[in-house]
Amino acid sequence: YAVAACIKVRAQKRNLSFKQVCLQPYQFSCWNKNDPQRPHLRKLLKHKLAPYAMALAKDIKSLDLTFTAKANHYHTKRVSPYWSKGKRPVKIIGNHLFFKL
């Protein structure tokens, strides 16, 4: 839900479709050609939460953006990308940090 909310914020700010936001180069690492997780993306369609993810995707326009404080970027606590250095997250949900850049 939180990642979908970030996608919605980006789409609104950039005047792009949700698909365009997701597939922009280097925006979501799983789509990068060299990302080690990319070969596993198809397996996600068989995950027990896949129906929930599909429902979110179909209804993304109605997501509540206050859930993530209108964040437009995020990353897990395991990584520290250059763009988050010196930035303070607006929300922490589980192992994910959400930023409004």
Side-chain angles (χ1 to χ4, degrees):
Y1 190 99
V3 172
C6 283
I7 292 167
K8 181 179 175 181
V9 170
R10 287 187 193 188
Q12 290 174 341
K13 287 187 172 204
R14 298 175 184 177
N15 198 29
L16 297 171
S17 71
F18 304 119
K19 180 179 179 179
Q20 287 173 314
V21 168
C22 291
L23 297 179
Q24 281 184 303
Y26 304 104
Q27 297 301 299
F28 294 91
S29 61
C30 66
W31 295 114
N32 297 343
K33 289 180 182 178
N34 62 344
D35 189 90
Q37 299 305 314
R38 187 173 177 166
H40 305 289
L41 287 177
R42 289 213 178 271
K43 293 178 192 173
L44 293 176
L45 294 173
K46 295 179 181 173
H47 191 279
K48 66 180 180 181
L49 293 177
Y52 174 69
M54 295 298 281
L56 280 175
K58 288 177 184 174
D59 200 30
I60 195 169
K61 290 180 181 179
S62 68
L63 297 184
D64 179 8
L65 301 179
T66 61
F67 181 69
T68 57
K70 297 186 180 181
N72 56 4
H73 285 70
Y74 75 96
H75 65 76
T76 69
K77 292 179 180 178
R78 295 182 307 156
V79 299
S80 184
Y82 74 92
W83 55 262
S84 69
K85 300 238 188 288
K87 305 286 193 281
R88 187 177 179 151
V90 293
K91 187 90 173 201
I92 299 172
I93 302 171
N95 290 321
H96 290 79
L97 307 172
F98 291 85
F99 300 84
K100 196 172 183 180
L101 304 181

